[in-house]
Amino acid sequence: MAERFKAAVLKTVDPHGSGGSNPSLSANPYHFQVIRMTVTTHKETLGFQTEVRQLLDLVIHSLYSNKEIFLRELISNASDACDKLRFEALSDDALFEGDSDLGIEIRFDKAARTIRVRDNGIGMSRAEVIEHIGTIAKSGTREFFSKLTGDQAKDSRLIGQFGVGFYSAFIVADKVTLLTRRAGLTPGHGVRWESSGEGDYSIETIERAARGTEIILQLRQGMDEFLDDYRLREIVRKYSDHIALPIRMPKADGKEDETVNRASALWARPKNEITADEHNEFYKHIAHDFEPPLAHLHARVEGKQEYIALLYVPARAPFDLWDRSGRRGVKLYVRRVFIMDDAEQLLPPYLRFVRGVVDSADLPLNISREILQESRDIEAIRAGCTKRILDLLDDMAEKEADKYMTVWREFGSVLKEGVIDDQANRERIAKLLRFASTYADTEICDVSLAAYVSRMKQDQKAIYYLTAPTFATARSSPQLEAFRQRGIEVLLLSERVDEWLVMHLHEFDAKPLQSAAKGTFDISASADAAETTRLAAQAEKLAPLVARVKGSLGERVQDVRLSARLTDSPSCLVYDEHALGGNLERILKAAGQKAPASKPILELNADHPLVVRLDGEGDDARFERVAMLLFDQAQLVEGTLPEDPAAFVRRMNETLLGV
């Protein structure tokens, strides 16, 4: 092992391993190591990242009523550390350092008022301790803290979504000491970390023979319940019985240790032997969540591919759900051996909220991420798991509508991505979609496409929708007036992903999806002959007015025409059938992307008093001002600010004054 370390040092100094032209390096191949030790062996006092200080305060106060979970979290971290060592040792057996019997030990000392949790897993280097404990280097952290309200009950649920892990130790301890050494490093690279959970922590390099991590908790006053053998064993069995590593505690005689937990892989046990409580605790372990899951599936697949999938649907969205590039929640095992804990190839991105375990009997133990991307076995597992999750959601939507609505509220925006990403399952995903609509006229998204189709008018040919920046903008859009008057339901879409959704979901149940704000609105099916004749005559009479308004607006619009959509408002903006649309254009520009130019069409309500008055306006300046106001109004109601707000205000004031 010393020779391997020496080679690694030489390679660090000189990648070619020759020592280069520096004679001191050739004479002392450990020169680089000596320099590094000189820099890092002194004791430092460092400050926690601001977010860590906030989180520590919240953990201590918001989770105090559930303080026993500190042991669950520390055991969970220890289990992960052992899993990671087993994985890294697949390619470097020397990391075991002659000890491949992995496990977790718990000790307590009543006189000293301490609890010790030790593992012989991967351990940490000095840099890793600072990175993982002193800093929260996760996207979405600021958004997470912005959601905190000061309400302890609500905040504790949010903290559970974040995953507090190690920080939960400060619920019961007023001082925490961590001793660790990363597997593969020499004993001189041990690390001692210590903090009272306030503003700072100390860290120093120490001699440590044992690899892995030991955490020593100096208990606060009033925490004597955790200095009891029976109580600690009860907590281990309650929260960590499923962990597939032995958790050892001393026997009553103090001479020997015994395994407290069952130490078998939960997913490998028969379904009918696993209780709901065991499922809940296993989910909390792998997801670092504080709430039980909403639903789960447990499948054992045999045939060309053999694997077990134990997957869970959380009750709440994690704080970083919207990060498509973030870590996924499914752990990959091969024949009970942990391989990786964020195997993104096991599920498509739109199911990234699912947590669980997949254990394959066919994959090689030394499989890499690169091989995963090209593996047919992985493709089959991915397809099978995706199908089973969609089956689970289908069944929930049909039989447990209230529970499914919880899923939709938390993960609906992500599920919509599936229509775009997963062409093979597009129809299945479309059945799971839920929207707000003019049927109930509320912001609650509980209308399925199937329910919409069942309520369609006898002569209605399309499923109508309207996209807008907010629900309020969509609901009050003038483009809906004729639809409301004729009793035609329109889906109201106000999430950013909806623009891409409707670009890829062209039809449902053989009914095309059509924007209420694009193309022409055909009223021929719902209008009688007299109405059709009246509108034709009106169009002929007002043709000069339409041409005059178009001339006043110039390049601002593609066209001006009379509207069949409007009943109360004087004007609105619409777009060609295949044009970009105002809402999507705004989204692209806000994201800093160039949006293809698409000029709107201004539609006028021929029966509105403003338009009637404009038809008789002889003053060209006043005519142009009112025409511009009709255009400005139409922009505002669709969510777009006028190009020149000051000019808009001036025009409005002049019109009000009758100038």
Side-chain angles (χ1 to χ4, degrees):
M1 182 167 180
E3 288 301 315
R4 184 161 47 250
F5 182 73
K6 175 179 175 181
V9 170
L10 284 173
K11 191 173 182 181
T12 305
V13 178
D14 178 5
H16 301 291
S18 63
S21 59
N22 189 331
S24 65
L25 293 182
S26 301
N28 180 10
Y30 291 87
H31 182 71
F32 178 73
Q33 179 194 5
V34 171
I35 293 174
R36 184 163 182 258
M37 291 290 285
T38 302
V39 172
T40 60
T41 51
H42 68 282
K43 185 174 181 178
E44 292 182 283
T45 298
L46 303 175
F48 282 116
Q49 181 192 26
T50 303
E51 288 85 352
V52 175
R53 291 199 297 271
Q54 286 179 268
L55 186 60
L56 281 170
D57 184 65
L58 288 163
V59 165
I60 292 168
H61 295 97
S62 296
L63 301 181
Y64 188 82
S65 61
N66 192 25
K67 48 187 179 288
E68 66 184 27
I69 58 93
F70 82 92
L71 191 56
R72 180 192 74 186
E73 292 297 305
L74 296 183
I75 291 173
S76 183
N77 287 349
S79 171
D80 289 345
C82 291
D83 279 343
K84 288 173 183 175
L85 174 61
R86 189 181 283 122
F87 172 62
E88 290 194 19
L90 291 173
S91 56
D92 186 0
D93 188 70
L95 291 175
F96 280 132
E97 302 176 8
D99 176 20
S100 59
D101 183 17
L102 302 180
I104 303 165
E105 294 179 2
I106 299 173
R107 298 281 189 275
F108 69 94
D109 185 329
K110 283 187 177 182
R113 296 183 53 76
T114 59
I115 295 177
R116 294 172 179 256
V117 179
R118 188 183 80 83
D119 67 74
N120 58 347
I122 193 68
M124 289 181 283
S125 65
R126 184 187 182 103
E128 287 172 327
V129 170
I130 295 172
E131 177 185 355
H132 296 316
I133 298 180
T135 305
I136 304 175
K138 296 182 179 181
S139 62
T141 304
R142 184 172 299 174
E143 179 187 352
F144 162 75
F145 283 108
S146 72
K147 292 180 180 178
L148 298 172
T149 64
D151 182 316
Q152 288 192 7
K154 293 180 181 177
D155 288 350
S156 65
R157 290 195 295 266
L158 278 170
I159 293 167
Q161 294 172 48
F162 192 90
V164 294
F166 172 79
Y167 303 120
S168 63
F170 290 99
I171 301 173
V172 298
D174 52 22
K175 186 175 75 172
V176 177
T177 303
L178 179 146
L179 307 173
T180 188
R181 176 174 65 79
R182 201 179 202 287
L185 296 181
T186 61
H189 285 77
V191 180
R192 177 188 178 93
W193 179 99
E194 193 167 85
S195 176
S196 59
E198 295 173 352
D200 53 30
Y201 59 89
S202 66
I203 186 168
E204 61 181 314
T205 301
I206 61 171
E207 286 283 335
R208 180 171 170 81
R211 70 153 194 270
T213 301
E214 181 174 3
I215 297 172
I216 306 167
L217 309 182
Q218 187 70 53
L219 295 189
R220 300 175 184 274
Q221 291 299 319
M223 298 295 168
D224 293 18
E225 65 176 290
F226 300 114
L227 295 172
D228 178 79
D229 182 76
Y230 178 80
R231 179 78 169 105
L232 292 176
R233 289 169 183 266
E234 178 190 46
I235 295 171
V236 170
R237 294 191 181 107
K238 178 179 178 181
Y239 292 115
S240 307
D241 199 49
H242 58 271
I243 288 180
L245 287 168
I247 302 172
R248 303 184 184 99
M249 290 183 66
K251 289 183 178 180
D253 58 13
K255 297 179 180 179
E256 292 181 273
D257 285 356
E258 64 180 346
T259 300
V260 180
N261 64 324
R262 192 179 304 192
S264 64
L266 185 81
W267 60 88
R269 290 162 50 189
K271 293 181 189 180
N272 57 3
E273 292 183 6
I274 306 174
T275 67
D277 286 343
E278 287 177 316
H279 271 302
N280 290 345
E281 294 311 323
F282 181 67
Y283 163 76
K284 291 175 183 178
H285 163 66
I286 59 173
H288 295 283
D289 198 350
F290 280 56
E291 295 186 65
L294 202 63
H296 76 273
L297 68 87
H298 190 182
R300 184 184 295 271
V301 179
E302 297 177 342
K304 290 184 178 179
Q305 286 85 28
E306 291 189 19
Y307 64 91
I308 302 170
L310 180 53
L311 304 173
Y312 297 88
V313 177
R316 295 180 188 276
F319 78 103
D320 56 353
L321 177 66
W322 317 117
D323 183 3
R324 281 171 60 92
S325 62
R327 292 170 56 135
R328 308 294 168 77
V330 177
K331 297 174 181 285
L332 175 63
Y333 286 75
V334 174
R335 296 184 292 280
R336 314 294 185 273
V337 176
F338 173 79
I339 302 299
M340 62 187 70
D341 61 2
D342 58 344
E344 65 271 17
Q345 292 86 358
L346 294 177
L347 285 176
Y350 69 92
L351 294 177
R352 58 184 176 272
F353 58 88
V354 174
R355 300 290 183 261
V357 166
V358 170
D359 189 347
S360 171
D362 304 314
L363 296 172
L365 285 171
N366 61 347
I367 192 166
S368 66
R369 292 186 184 277
E370 291 73 22
I371 296 173
L372 280 178
Q373 292 175 349
E374 302 171 359
S375 168
R376 291 186 178 180
D377 288 326
I378 286 293
E379 287 181 10
I381 292 172
R382 177 187 174 109
C385 289
T386 299
K387 177 184 179 300
R388 284 173 172 81
I389 292 169
L390 293 178
D391 286 343
L392 176 67
L393 296 177
D394 275 337
D395 193 58
M396 196 186 301
E398 182 180 343
K399 299 175 182 177
E400 300 176 279
D402 289 344
K403 184 183 285 191
Y404 181 72
M405 284 307 301
T406 300
V407 174
W408 184 256
R409 282 193 300 271
E410 296 294 325
F411 310 112
S413 297
V414 175
L415 278 173
K416 288 177 181 178
E417 296 175 12
V419 172
I420 304 163
D421 295 340
D422 191 352
Q423 187 173 354
N425 289 301
R426 184 171 294 168
E427 290 184 13
R428 295 200 65 188
I429 299 167
K431 293 178 181 178
L432 294 170
L433 302 179
R434 297 294 184 268
F435 304 97
S437 86
T438 56
Y439 178 72
D441 216 16
T442 68
E443 197 169 357
I444 298 172
C445 297
D446 59 356
V447 176
S448 67
L449 291 174
Y452 180 103
V453 170
S454 71
R455 293 192 291 262
M456 285 176 62
K457 297 288 184 181
Q458 188 173 0
D459 51 6
Q460 185 180 337
K461 298 177 182 178
I463 298 170
Y464 291 101
Y465 66 87
L466 182 70
T467 58
T470 66
F471 171 76
T473 302
R475 181 173 59 178
S476 59
S477 172
Q479 295 152 340
L480 299 178
E481 291 173 0
F483 291 92
R484 291 186 189 278
Q485 186 183 61
R486 292 168 174 79
I488 299 174
E489 185 176 358
V490 179
L491 301 175
L492 306 177
L493 315 182
S494 55
E495 293 186 319
R496 290 192 171 195
V497 69
D498 289 332
E499 287 286 357
W500 281 268
L501 171 72
V502 294
M503 288 172 63
H504 291 80
L505 186 63
H506 302 131
E507 65 175 28
F508 178 82
D509 195 18
K511 306 290 191 302
L513 270 70
Q514 183 174 325
S515 172
K518 288 186 178 181
T520 57
F521 178 54
D522 182 12
I523 66 164
S524 58
S526 57
D528 56 27
E531 176 69 3
T532 304
T533 302
R534 185 186 75 81
L535 292 173
Q538 193 177 58
E540 183 178 353
K541 176 187 175 184
L542 295 179
L545 169 66
V546 170
R548 192 179 175 191
V549 172
K550 184 177 180 181
S552 296
L553 297 177
E555 293 299 312
R556 296 178 182 85
V557 296
Q558 176 184 323
D559 199 4
V560 177
R561 66 191 182 204
L562 296 183
S563 180
R565 289 178 172 84
L566 300 173
T567 60
D568 300 317
S569 302
S571 61
C572 71
L573 295 180
V574 298
Y575 295 83
D576 272 342
E577 191 69 40
H578 303 292
L580 196 63
N583 191 48
L584 180 55
E585 186 176 342
R586 285 189 297 275
I587 291 172
L588 291 173
K589 287 181 178 178
Q593 300 184 30
K594 291 184 178 180
S598 55
K599 293 180 181 179
I601 298 166
L602 179 67
E603 289 194 349
L604 301 174
N605 180 359
D607 296 321
H608 195 277
L610 273 177
V611 177
V612 173
R613 175 182 168 184
L614 191 63
D615 186 36
E617 182 59 66
D619 186 314
D620 288 342
R622 190 178 291 117
F623 181 94
E624 183 172 338
R625 185 168 65 244
V626 175
M628 278 299 300
L629 278 174
L630 289 173
F631 179 71
D632 292 336
Q633 287 181 18
Q635 282 189 304
L636 284 169
V637 295
E638 80 157 7
T640 303
L641 287 175
E643 186 176 341
D644 186 348
F648 162 70
V649 172
R650 187 170 58 252
R651 284 192 291 270
M652 179 66 73
N653 290 338
E654 289 173 351
T655 303
L656 290 172
L657 291 169
V659 177

